[in-house]
């Protein structure tokens, strides 16, 4: 079992009230399997993904349950422990790529930095690996895109840059969080093709979506969240 989530609950708190964002969510994922999480807006899909990634500030929310990833409980890990696996073993592709990339850095450098943080790979090899990943993500001109800034690219191209950044690190599990929501139909077609290629290559994924068509195309099983 790659991932086993048991009775996940996420409750946000402030001075006057408490709000349950996720309540009693459970899911099991085998290696090489793709699971979908579908549901209406506000049902807690993205919050579930963020909780599994350790991206919810613990000062703002109470998180309970268990999320065993390769036998270790993600919900019980310290920030330092989570940083060791984020990106390298467990990675997320966000819904809004423009807010996930640094607007002051060239695109290629940001893709390459994933290797700089997690490995001691020489600069030349990092660049070559980054260009290879960009090509594998369906980007037709990796050399040209490498030198450009995020604001110079379309949303669909940026989303494929995020896919390149993810597959470069070769994580055990990829969470794709509503990644076709903010792109046009042509970009959605290309992005789904890339996810399909990852699925066929045996990559384990959780696909968060409100689109049953996306879930039907990519997922082996689907969990539905409501209310």
């Amino acid at each position: 079992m790659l991932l086993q989530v048991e009775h996940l609950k996420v409750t946000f708190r402030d001075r006057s009230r408490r709000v349950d964002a996720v309540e009693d969510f459970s899911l099991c994922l085998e290696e090489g399997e793709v699971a979908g999480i579908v549901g209406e807006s506000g049902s807690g899909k993205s919050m579930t993904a963020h909780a599994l990634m350790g991206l919810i500030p613990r000062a703002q929310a109470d998180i309970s349950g268990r999320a065993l990833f390769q036998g270790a409980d993600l919900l019980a890990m310290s920030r330092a422990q989570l940083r060791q696996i984020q990106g390298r073993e467990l990675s997320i592709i966000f819904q809004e790529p423009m807010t996930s990339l640094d607007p002051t850095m060239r695109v290629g450098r940001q893709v390459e930095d994933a290797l700089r943080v997690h490995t001691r790979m020489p600069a030349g090899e990092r660049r070559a690996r980054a260009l290879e990943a960009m090509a594998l993500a369906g980007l037709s001109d990796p050399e040209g895109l490498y030198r450009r800034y995020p604001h110079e690219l379309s949303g669909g191209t940026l989303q494929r840059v995020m896919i390149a950044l993810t597959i470069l690190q070769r994580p055990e599990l990829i969470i794709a969080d509503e990644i076709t929501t903010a792109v046009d139909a042509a970009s959605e077609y290309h992005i789904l093709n890339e996810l399909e290629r990852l699925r066929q290559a045996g990559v384990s994924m959780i696909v968060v979506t409100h689109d049953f068509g996306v879930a039907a195309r990519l997922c082996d099983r689907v969990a539905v969240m409501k209310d």
Side-chain angles (χ1 to χ4, degrees):
M1 186 73 62
L2 180 64
L3 177 70
Q4 185 172 356
V5 184
E6 300 175 347
H7 308 296
L8 173 66
K9 182 173 183 177
V10 180
T11 301
F12 284 88
R13 58 183 183 273
D14 59 25
R15 294 178 181 176
S16 60
R17 62 175 185 151
R18 297 169 63 86
V19 177
D20 292 332
V22 179
E23 187 169 5
D24 199 23
F25 179 88
S26 298
L27 178 73
C28 293
L29 186 72
E30 301 285 353
E31 290 190 12
E33 188 177 27
V34 179
I37 301 177
V38 302
E40 59 208 11
S41 297
S43 60
K45 304 184 302 298
S46 292
M47 203 59 63
T48 297
H50 290 194
L52 296 178
M53 285 295 302
L55 299 178
I56 299 175
R58 296 179 182 180
Q60 299 176 7
D62 294 321
I63 302 175
S64 60
R66 293 202 307 170
L68 301 178
F69 177 64
Q70 297 179 325
D73 190 355
L74 296 170
L75 305 184
M77 287 185 180
S78 67
R79 289 298 182 196
Q81 290 172 319
L82 283 168
R83 280 195 294 271
Q84 291 296 313
I85 66 169
Q86 287 169 337
R88 185 169 57 183
E89 298 178 39
L90 177 65
S91 189
I92 186 168
I93 308 172
F94 291 104
Q95 178 178 348
E96 294 287 352
M98 183 61 78
T99 59
S100 305
L101 295 169
D102 187 335
T104 68
M105 289 178 61
R106 298 183 192 273
V107 166
R109 172 67 187 277
Q110 296 191 61
V111 176
E112 185 182 318
D113 266 5
L115 293 175
R116 183 184 59 79
V117 171
H118 291 297
T119 74
R120 297 182 179 180
M121 192 177 293
E125 187 176 350
R126 288 201 307 265
R127 177 184 171 88
R129 285 276 302 278
L131 291 171
E132 178 186 7
M134 292 168 75
L136 288 173
L139 294 164
S140 58
D141 182 20
E143 286 279 2
L145 292 173
Y146 192 95
R147 297 186 294 271
R148 298 178 72 177
Y149 290 93
H151 72 270
E152 299 179 291
L153 306 177
S154 69
T157 299
L158 286 175
Q159 198 61 278
R160 277 179 275 174
V161 168
M162 293 299 297
I163 293 173
L165 194 153
T166 299
I167 63 178
L168 178 66
Q169 301 170 85
R170 300 174 182 172
E172 297 292 327
L173 172 62
I174 295 173
I175 300 175
D177 183 14
E178 296 276 19
I179 66 173
T180 61
T181 297
V183 300
D184 58 32
S187 295
E188 177 177 337
Y189 172 80
H190 289 296
I191 290 166
L192 291 178
N193 280 349
E194 300 315 315
L195 292 183
E196 178 72 20
R197 286 174 56 186
L198 291 174
R199 187 184 72 81
Q200 292 176 353
V203 176
S204 304
M205 288 189 284
I206 294 175
V207 177
V208 177
T209 182
H210 64 273
D211 188 330
F212 277 95
V214 170
R217 175 174 175 179
L218 295 174
C219 301
D220 300 303
R221 292 185 297 110
V222 172
V224 179
M225 298 187 73
K226 192 173 187 300
D227 299 329

